[in-house]
Amino acid sequence: MATPTSICIAGTGLHVPERILTNVDLERFVDTSDEWITSRTGIKQRHISSAQEPCSLLGAEAAKRALADAGMSPEQVTHVLMATFTPDTFIPSASYSLRSRLGIPRGMAMDISAACTGFLFGLETARALVTVHPEAVVLVVGSEVVTSRINWEDRGTCVLFGDGAGAAVIASGPAPGGATIVDVILDGDSSLGELLTVRGGGSAAPLCPGDRIGDDFFVQMQGREIFKHAVRSMNTVVRKLLDRQNLSVADIDMIIPHQANIRIIESLIKKLEFSEEKVYINIASYGNTSAASIPIALAEAREKSLIPEGSKVILTSFGGGLNWGAALLQF
Ligand code: UT7
């Protein structure tokens, strides 16, 4: 079996629920203000799933668009990787639920649990699969219904997140109009795990029939600490990626960062000495959609024709774990 000469993103797509919750809507039931949320985070609104729109449905819609973009059909997909921390159910996994929705009856499918960096973990896993199986067509999906794990009484977290999904089709290249995945670096530090948790209902904090769910069932985090680590880790990993590829920041045409907080993005850009006009930012419209953030932004930037052929694009993310990573794409 020949090793593929390049591994490509052949198509991308995104899907978000129709319902929008604006900062002004939030003011009605949370002790917050549009002014605070906008100035501290850059978020103006977020999309919210209904009970009929679980993680796999959002992911399947994004995947259909990514497949259409790649000119492929669901039958051609050989592997499904689903990055999420909010699966429809623990068993079957969200990747299996998504596969059912797309009518992909057989083949390997699995969930990836790496919080906001999950999509980059998926890209790296897809690269490995295509290297071993050059004929593989891997669907990598980041899909989250973060609001299913949000405590609306915790104003420090509930204003930050939103629901949505993004997807990419990965296969041996070349992929006309797509991008080569040149390199990926992933890293993490489990000693920082306490900074962002969803504990309740896990085997270390099991729920018994009739139990009331506690605050630990929801996302809990130490925002300020995460902020510092986010800027530091993304700066370090992007520089490491550039060094490894013998590139400088000036060689990069666009950076697509995880959309968690506009101030995190601004601090990162400053540290990297990169130009803000070349950074793709959509946090105002979606909030932090965790594993869906990067593939939504990538798909949207491509839909808007903002990435001309020949562009070098860096994706970079951080998240609960803590973990972080960066990928270099050549369009
Ligand atoms: O994908 C990874 C997920 N996590 C993150 O990316 C989180 C990274 N961290 C952050 O984005 C920021 O730390 C936050 C947006 C979470 C918070 O911003 P901050 O500037 O670090 O604010 P803070 O937590 O230090 O709170 C400042 C003040 C506090 O009031 P006092 O103690 O100064 O009176 C908070 O109680 O702001 C208050 N506050 C709010 N006020 C209005 C916290 N949340 C809100 C709110 N509305 N929603």
Side-chain angles (χ1 to χ4, degrees), residues 58-102:
L58 302 184
E61 292 303 315
K64 281 182 204 165
R65 291 190 186 190
L67 285 164
D69 184 39
M72 290 184 186
S73 61
E75 302 80 61
Q76 290 173 270
V77 174
T78 56
H79 303 74
V80 177
L81 304 174
M82 180 92 161
T84 187
F85 81 96
T86 53
D88 306 22
T89 52
F90 290 112
I91 299 176
S93 68
S95 57
Y96 274 70
S97 307
L98 174 134
R99 227 171 56 173
S100 301
R101 289 184 189 276
L102 289 180

Side-chain angles (χ1 to χ4, degrees), residues 15-316:
H15 177 79
V16 289
E18 233 174 76
R19 187 180 158 210
I20 287 173
L21 189 69
T22 65
N23 293 349
V24 175
D25 295 333
L26 272 171
E27 283 178 350
R28 290 193 206 108
F29 65 100
V30 177
D31 179 16
T32 191
S33 65
D34 175 38
E35 195 282 320
W36 191 95
I37 303 170
T38 307
S39 61
R40 297 286 179 126
T41 73
I43 300 165
K44 293 300 283 183
Q45 63 170 48
R46 67 287 293 142
H47 292 251
I48 306 278
S49 273
S50 68
Q52 289 73 44
E53 293 172 300
C55 170
S56 69
L57 181 138
L58 302 184
E61 292 303 315
K64 281 182 204 165
R65 291 190 186 190
L67 285 164
D69 184 39
M72 290 184 186
S73 61
E75 302 80 61
Q76 290 173 270
V77 174
T78 56
H79 303 74
V80 177
L81 304 174
M82 180 92 161
T84 187
F85 81 96
T86 53
D88 306 22
T89 52
F90 290 112
I91 299 176
S93 68
S95 57
Y96 274 70
S97 307
L98 174 134
R99 227 171 56 173
S100 301
R101 289 184 189 276
L102 289 180
I104 306 170
R106 304 291 291 270
M108 175 189 154
M110 68 175 190
D111 287 8
I112 292 176
S113 178
C116 306
T117 319
F119 181 77
L120 296 185
F121 278 63
L123 272 193
E124 182 70 328
T125 312
R127 281 210 311 161
L129 286 167
V130 176
T131 301
V132 177
H133 307 288
E135 75 291 351
V137 174
V138 187
L139 195 51
V140 182
V141 181
S143 182
E144 301 277 20
V145 181
V146 187
T147 56
S148 64
R149 287 289 186 145
I150 284 303
N151 181 354
W152 294 105
E153 290 176 4
D154 176 6
R155 70 176 183 171
T157 55
C158 74
V159 304
L160 305 176
F161 296 96
D163 304 331
V169 179
I170 315 299
S172 293
T180 300
I181 306 170
V182 179
D183 202 356
V184 180
I185 299 181
L186 302 172
D187 204 349
D189 184 348
S190 47
S191 72
L192 300 171
E194 289 303 304
L195 295 182
L196 203 169
T197 57
V198 182
R199 284 199 192 83
S203 57
L207 287 173
C208 295
D211 278 359
R212 287 170 61 93
I213 54 169
D215 291 350
D216 70 352
F217 186 78
F218 304 103
V219 171
Q220 294 182 309
M221 67 175 192
Q222 296 174 38
R224 275 194 189 177
E225 280 305 304
I226 295 173
F227 192 116
K228 281 188 267 174
H229 285 290
V231 176
R232 199 180 305 147
S233 59
M234 287 194 290
N235 176 45
T236 305
V237 77
V238 168
R239 288 186 181 280
K240 199 169 162 187
L241 187 70
L242 291 171
D243 282 352
R244 195 152 98 170
Q245 291 298 322
N246 290 317
L247 294 171
S248 74
V249 179
D251 295 314
I252 300 306
D253 300 291
M254 181 184 275
I255 294 182
I256 302 181
H258 174 43
Q259 313 281 318
N261 185 322
I262 189 73
R263 291 186 296 130
I264 293 179
I265 296 172
E266 285 166 354
S267 303
L268 174 68
I269 299 167
K270 204 169 160 197
K271 273 194 182 304
L272 286 171
E273 297 175 67
F274 195 67
S275 148
E276 184 164 354
E277 299 81 68
K278 297 201 272 180
V279 179
Y280 192 74
I281 300 173
N282 64 6
I283 190 170
S285 309
Y286 302 111
N288 180 349
T289 56
S290 183
S293 149
I294 292 272
I296 286 177
L298 175 62
E300 200 174 65
R302 288 192 68 230
E303 274 177 17
K304 290 180 178 171
S305 303
L306 294 176
I307 313 180
E309 207 177 326
S311 303
K312 287 184 173 54
V313 175
I314 284 185
L315 314 177
T316 185

